[in-house]
């Protein structure tokens, strides 16, 4: 698997390209890093936990952001839903580790930065109104984009940031690897990342598609995660 990944990196990267590993050695081992370093320039961005890692990434994405997204660090779906837009606009996505309390390091980051607006992506079951109140107490404007579930939340994100989209990236909302891999491509094509259960497109997604007259679909993943029923 390592050799296959290395060959794919060689195919994709320019001669002066580099690989950035996101996460600590528990997520991507030193063995993987050492193997890649034999052929590529490799940089690792990591923190003590996923919240700290998201903060470290944020510092690389935008040195002086005025806006950021806050999502649950325990559930990946909402972060994936906003990943395309965040990539395009270089808006950091911070992962809050607790449902009911704003992480102290995120609080400090907001205090020390020029952030004026925080958009919470996800409902109160993953990021509570208590977290919203803590953010508001820091003097920032706080918005929330949320639906009744992760699928509807992804549609709300699409409606908010891609009102004139002509293409969408469709992925399984319970299996993160394909959406994570394809988030940059979605950004390049101007496509929102829309979640499904992998078995059918679903009424919520169908309504968005009809309303926006979507003409092109990027399906992320094989039939094991996205059935042919979705494609049809």
């Amino acid at each position: 698997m390592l050799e296959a990944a290395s060959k794919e990196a060689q195919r994709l990267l320019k001669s002066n390209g580099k690989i950035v590993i996101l996460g600590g050695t528990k997520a991507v081992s030193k063995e993987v890093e050492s193997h890649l370093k034999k052929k590529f320039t490799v940089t690792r961005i990591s923190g003590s936990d996923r919240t700290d890692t998201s903060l470290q990434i944020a510092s690389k994405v935008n040195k002086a952001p005025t806006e950021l997204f806050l999502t649950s660090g325990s559930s990946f779906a909402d972060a994936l839903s906003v990943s395309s837009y965040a990539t395009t606009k270089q808006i950091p996505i911070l992962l809050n580790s607790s449902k009911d309390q704003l992480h102290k390091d995120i609080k400090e980051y907001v205090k020390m930065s020029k952030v004026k607006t925080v958009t919470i992506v996800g409902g109160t079951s993953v990021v509570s109104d208590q977290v919203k109140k803590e953010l508001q107490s820091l003097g920032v404007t706080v918005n929330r984009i949320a639906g009744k579930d992760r699928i509807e939340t992804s549609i709300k994100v699409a409606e908010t940031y891609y009102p004139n989209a002509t293409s969408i990236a469709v992925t399984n909302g319970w299996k993160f690897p394909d959406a994570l891999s394809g988030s940059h491509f979605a950004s390049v094509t101007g496509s929102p990342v829309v979640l499904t259960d992998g078995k059918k497109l679903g009424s919520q997604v169908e309504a968005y598609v009809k309303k926006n007259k979507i003409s092109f679909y990027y399906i992320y993943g094989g039939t094991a995660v996205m059935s042919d029923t979705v494609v049809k």
Side-chain angles (χ1 to χ4, degrees), residues 17-166:
K18 67 178 181 179
I19 293 175
V20 180
I21 297 173
L22 302 180
T25 54
K26 290 183 179 179
V28 181
S29 71
K30 288 183 179 179
E31 178 188 2
V32 172
E33 183 176 1
S34 297
H35 182 84
L36 292 173
K37 280 183 174 179
K38 293 176 183 178
K39 298 179 179 179
F40 310 100
T41 299
V42 180
T43 301
R44 183 188 291 269
I45 303 175
S46 65
S48 58
D49 54 29
R50 61 186 63 183
T51 297
D52 189 25
T53 296
S54 73
L55 286 164
Q56 297 301 323
I57 294 171
S59 68
K60 303 292 185 182
V61 169
N62 192 331
K63 297 292 185 183
T66 58
E67 182 180 358
L68 63 84
F69 290 111
L70 183 77
T71 72
S72 169
S74 302
S75 178
F76 61 85
D78 298 324
L80 291 179
S81 295
V82 79
S83 61
S84 174
Y85 182 79
T87 299
T88 300
K89 299 297 183 180
Q90 294 187 308
I91 300 173
I93 301 174
L94 300 185
L95 306 179
N96 197 54
S97 58
S98 170
K99 169 194 167 186
D100 296 311
Q101 186 175 12
L102 184 64
H103 194 286
K104 61 180 178 59
D105 292 340
I106 294 179
K107 184 180 291 186
E108 189 63 24
Y109 176 86
V110 173
K111 283 182 180 179
M112 299 301 291
S113 69
K114 296 180 180 179
V115 169
K116 296 179 180 179
T117 304
V118 177
T119 300
I120 297 171
V121 182
T124 54
S125 63
V126 289
V127 180
S128 72
D129 279 336
Q130 175 57 36
V131 173
K132 182 178 179 179
K133 289 176 182 176
E134 287 187 58
L135 285 166
Q136 289 172 326
S137 72
L138 299 175
V140 297
T141 299
V142 183
N143 306 308
R144 183 189 293 272
I145 301 176
K148 65 182 180 182
D149 55 30
R150 63 185 63 187
I151 294 175
E152 188 173 336
T153 294
S154 74
I155 295 299
K156 297 283 188 184
V157 169
E159 289 173 340
T160 301
Y161 298 118
Y162 295 91
N164 301 309
T166 58

